[in-house]
């Protein structure tokens, strides 16, 4: 099968939660299928990662995103579409790259990863398209608004919640399938996008990498939280785990380690 995967950033190296979730489908699908990738990059310093990723792809095409433009794009996102953080990832050149890749590779399906790539759906034309929602974004914005730092950040977050919710509901309905990672996420989306074709496929684990080996002794009663702690929701989950969950666990299991 010929598959085109579209990402909002370079899905390599798999060193945080987002890239792990992006890269593993490439790694496994490429063993039996022809996988092409189109993604945004941040330019310098990613050349080695791009070359390594090419080993898994029949075709890899990238579009440069300039992070210094993010404040301006976020300001536009407060008024125009796409709203919120999705505004940072809207580049017409990226859309044209998707169109060119489809013409060259003739994929049988295009999978757009994350709401931040949903704006590019029209560039896929009549090719069947799937939106893979790694998060329900309007719920992320709701929680962000609750824990915003400072009045300006809070005002922007609260203003964005309704706009992102309306945008996300509209976008989900434009895809042949919208895939989420949990029944809770599916319920949130169905409440606002009843016409969308929503499926639940939980995130998996790379069992080739995460498996017992005789060279590495197990540490009983230990746990690990992985991900990018530059992301505010991940910071909040870490604080909650450390301050509310782990102390209760430690009280019942004194040998527990985090």
């Amino acid at each position: 099968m010929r598959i085109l995967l579209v990402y909002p950033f370079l899905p390599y190296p798999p060193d945080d939660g987002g890239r792990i979730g992006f890269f593993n489908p490439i790694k496994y699908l490429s063993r039996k299928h022809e996988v092409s990738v189109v993604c945004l990059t941040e330019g310098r310093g990613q050349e080695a990662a791009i070359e390594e990723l090419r080993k898994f792809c029949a075709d890899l095409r990238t579009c440069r995103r300039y992070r210094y433009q993010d404040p301006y794009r976020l300001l536009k996102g407060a008024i125009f579409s796409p709203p919120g953080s999705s505004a940072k990832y809207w580049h017409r050149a990226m859309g044209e790259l998707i169109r060119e890749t489809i013409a060259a590779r003739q994929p049988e399906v295009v999978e757009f990863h994350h709401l931040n790539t949903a704006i590019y759906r029209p560039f896929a034309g009549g090719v069947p398209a799937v939106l893979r929602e790694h998060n329900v974004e309007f719920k992320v914005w709701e929680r962000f608004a609750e824990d915003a730092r400072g009045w300006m950040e809070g005002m922007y977050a609260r203003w964005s919640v309704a706009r992102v919710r309306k945008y996300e509901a509209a976008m989900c309905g434009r895809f042949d399938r919208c895939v989420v990672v949990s029944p809770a996420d599916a319920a949130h989306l169905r409440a606002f996008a009843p016409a969308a074709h929503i499926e639940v496929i939980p995130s998996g684990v790379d069992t080739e990498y995460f498996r017992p080996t005789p060279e590495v002794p197990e540490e009983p009663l230990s746990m690990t939280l992985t991900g990018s702690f530059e992301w505010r929701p991940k910071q909040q989950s870490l604080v909650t785990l450390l301050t509310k969950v782990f102390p209760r666990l430690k009280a019942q299991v004194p040998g527990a380690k985090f």
Side-chain angles (χ1 to χ4, degrees), residues 58-78:
D59 195 353
L60 170 61
R61 306 189 188 203
T62 64
C63 178
R64 177 75 180 271
R65 179 173 87 86
Y66 296 90
R67 294 194 69 173
Y68 73 85
Q69 297 178 348
D70 285 358
Y72 167 70
R73 290 181 175 276
L74 284 171
L75 185 60
K76 286 184 65 177

Side-chain angles (χ1 to χ4, degrees), residues 73 76-78 80-84 86-90 119 163 167:
R73 290 181 175 276
K76 286 184 65 177
F80 303 106
S81 186
S86 291
K88 297 190 299 183
Y89 301 93
W90 163 234
I119 190 67
R163 299 189 72 244
Y167 173 77

Side-chain angles (χ1 to χ4, degrees), residues 235-246:
Q235 295 172 10
Q236 292 172 347
S237 68
L238 175 61
V239 170
T240 300
L241 182 58
L242 287 174
T243 60
K244 297 180 179 179
V245 178
F246 191 67

Side-chain angles (χ1 to χ4, degrees), residues 95-109:
E96 296 301 333
L97 201 58
I98 293 169
R99 200 197 310 271
E100 292 170 8
T101 307
I102 290 174
R105 308 305 306 192
Q106 297 292 305
E108 296 165 77
V109 64

Side-chain angles (χ1 to χ4, degrees), residues 47-254:
E47 295 84 358
I50 290 172
E51 290 309 308
E52 191 65 25
L53 184 60
R54 289 192 191 280
K55 298 176 182 178
F56 300 89
C57 303
D59 195 353
L60 170 61
R61 306 189 188 203
T62 64
C63 178
R64 177 75 180 271
R65 179 173 87 86
Y66 296 90
R67 294 194 69 173
Y68 73 85
Q69 297 178 348
D70 285 358
Y72 167 70
R73 290 181 175 276
L74 284 171
L75 185 60
K76 286 184 65 177
I79 304 170
F80 303 106
S81 186
S85 56
S86 291
K88 297 190 299 183
Y89 301 93
W90 163 234
H91 297 260
R92 178 163 291 278
M94 174 74 164
E96 296 301 333
L97 201 58
I98 293 169
R99 200 197 310 271
E100 292 170 8
T101 307
I102 290 174
R105 308 305 306 192
Q106 297 292 305
E108 296 165 77
V109 64
V110 183
E111 185 171 79
F112 294 80
H113 283 254
H114 204 284
L115 183 65
N116 290 338
T117 67
I119 190 67
Y120 298 110
R121 172 65 183 92
F123 293 92
V127 181
V130 175
L131 176 62
R132 174 64 161 171
E133 285 264 64
H134 294 263
N135 307 289
V136 173
E137 284 302 300
F138 79 82
K139 296 302 293 184
V140 173
W141 277 95
E142 283 181 357
R143 292 163 188 152
F144 178 40
E146 293 170 0
D147 296 287
R149 301 167 183 169
W151 69 269
M152 185 175 293
E153 187 177 85
M155 183 174 65
Y156 181 86
R158 288 188 293 274
W159 170 258
S160 297
V161 169
R163 299 189 72 244
V164 172
R165 182 170 57 230
K166 182 178 179 181
Y167 173 77
E168 191 162 19
M171 283 295 171
C172 288
R174 296 177 186 177
F175 287 81
D176 297 279
R177 286 291 184 276
C178 178
V179 179
V180 296
V181 300
S182 71
D185 282 359
H188 291 316
L189 279 184
R190 287 186 180 123
F192 292 95
H197 301 287
I198 299 171
E199 303 284 352
V200 178
I201 302 179
S203 297
V205 174
D206 184 356
T207 55
E208 289 184 355
Y209 182 85
F210 292 103
R211 59 187 176 86
T213 61
E215 297 82 14
V216 181
E218 291 187 12
E219 260 193 84
L221 308 180
S222 63
M223 59 187 294
T224 301
L225 179 66
T226 64
S228 172
F229 293 98
E230 295 177 352
W231 195 46
R232 182 70 63 79
K234 182 60 71 173
Q235 295 172 10
Q236 292 172 347
S237 68
L238 175 61
V239 170
T240 300
L241 182 58
L242 287 174
T243 60
K244 297 180 179 179
V245 178
F246 191 67
R248 296 174 64 183
L249 181 64
K250 188 82 171 175
Q252 296 186 46
V253 186

